[in-house]
Amino acid sequence: MSKLGFDLDGVLVDWNSAFIALMIQLTGRDLFPPRPFDIPTWNYPTHYGYTTAEVSYVWTHIKASPYFWQSLKPYDTTGDALRAIHDRWRQNDDLYFITSRPGIDAKKQTENWLRMHWPMYTVPPLTVLISSHKGLCAKALHLDAYIDDKDTNVCDVVREHATCRTFLLDRPWNRDLEWPDRIQSVTDMLSQI
């Protein structure tokens, strides 16, 4: 039996598309390149010319929304990933979804999103943790493996819980970090543990 941790946004959930659309809608400006485009850095809105005040305004809107987090779209690969995660649950692995989503009912919205997109009839008990301290969560849960798309999060997990095999999901915004367990998908991660 393994204890497995999964980030959501950037791993299973296409957060960036919704954020870009909301940024354009709320600011009335479209400074982004034609879509689709590779996001070059974690703080890409300011990279493309939006002010920190505009980014903060969009975050204020997200935090006040009772539906933003549960309305996000999955990636094309999410169904396969959730089926693989479901198979691990059937093998008695413990599953933890760890995300740092802020705002109204963020945990409930996240649980709703997982139920809506779970590709199997039976949804396992969902353990959703809302925390930006991914390393402390991994340590407290005694995770055996964890996956994230944010470079600082994988570094935090290794720093706090060195025995956890920590995978970095390859994304354009995290390619500056050399990482031994850089993978292409959640199913790749699960095939290695």
Side-chain angles (χ1 to χ4, degrees):
M1 184 174 87
S2 296
K3 294 183 176 187
L4 309 176
F6 305 90
D7 177 42
L8 289 168
D9 301 312
V11 174
L12 297 170
V13 181
D14 182 6
W15 177 86
N16 287 308
S17 293
F19 188 81
I20 289 167
L22 193 57
M23 192 88 200
I24 294 166
Q25 175 191 341
L26 294 178
T27 65
R29 303 187 312 149
D30 184 352
L31 303 178
F32 298 111
R35 265 75 69 205
F37 67 96
D38 282 344
I39 295 170
T41 180
W42 190 260
N43 297 312
Y44 65 93
T46 54
H47 173 82
Y48 287 113
Y50 290 96
T51 66
T52 54
E54 288 172 318
V55 173
S56 294
Y57 177 65
V58 173
W59 272 108
T60 299
H61 181 84
I62 290 169
K63 291 174 188 176
S65 172
Y67 304 107
F68 177 82
W69 296 113
Q70 72 186 37
S71 68
L72 298 176
K73 295 190 183 318
Y75 287 115
D76 292 340
T77 57
T78 297
D80 290 338
L82 289 175
R83 276 187 282 284
I85 292 168
H86 186 86
D87 288 345
R88 296 305 292 254
W89 170 70
R90 289 181 48 215
Q91 296 170 32
N92 293 318
D93 286 347
D94 290 337
L95 311 175
Y96 300 93
F97 298 92
I98 307 169
T99 182
S100 59
R101 295 173 164 185
I104 295 174
D105 293 328
K107 184 178 186 310
K108 181 180 173 186
Q109 289 189 58
T110 301
E111 291 165 346
N112 289 343
W113 186 94
L114 283 163
R115 283 187 196 96
M116 286 187 295
H117 295 284
W118 206 265
M120 311 298 279
Y121 179 73
T122 303
V123 178
L126 298 173
T127 303
V128 173
L129 302 164
I130 305 292
S131 177
S132 59
H133 302 287
K134 307 282 182 97
L136 292 176
C137 289
K139 183 178 180 180
L141 295 168
H142 305 286
L143 292 183
D144 297 303
Y146 177 72
I147 185 171
D148 206 304
D149 67 305
K150 189 172 183 182
D151 51 5
T152 55
N153 287 342
V154 294
C155 292
D156 184 47
V157 170
V158 168
R159 182 175 45 256
E160 293 291 338
H161 186 47
T163 60
C164 179
R165 185 152 179 210
T166 306
F167 295 85
L168 180 63
L169 184 63
D170 185 47
R171 296 291 190 208
W173 55 84
N174 66 27
R175 292 198 177 128
D176 288 345
L177 179 67
E178 291 291 327
W179 198 257
D181 282 318
R182 178 180 289 274
I183 56 168
Q184 299 302 311
S185 69
V186 171
T187 52
D188 287 348
M189 168 206 174
L190 294 174
S191 71
Q192 295 182 39
I193 53 173

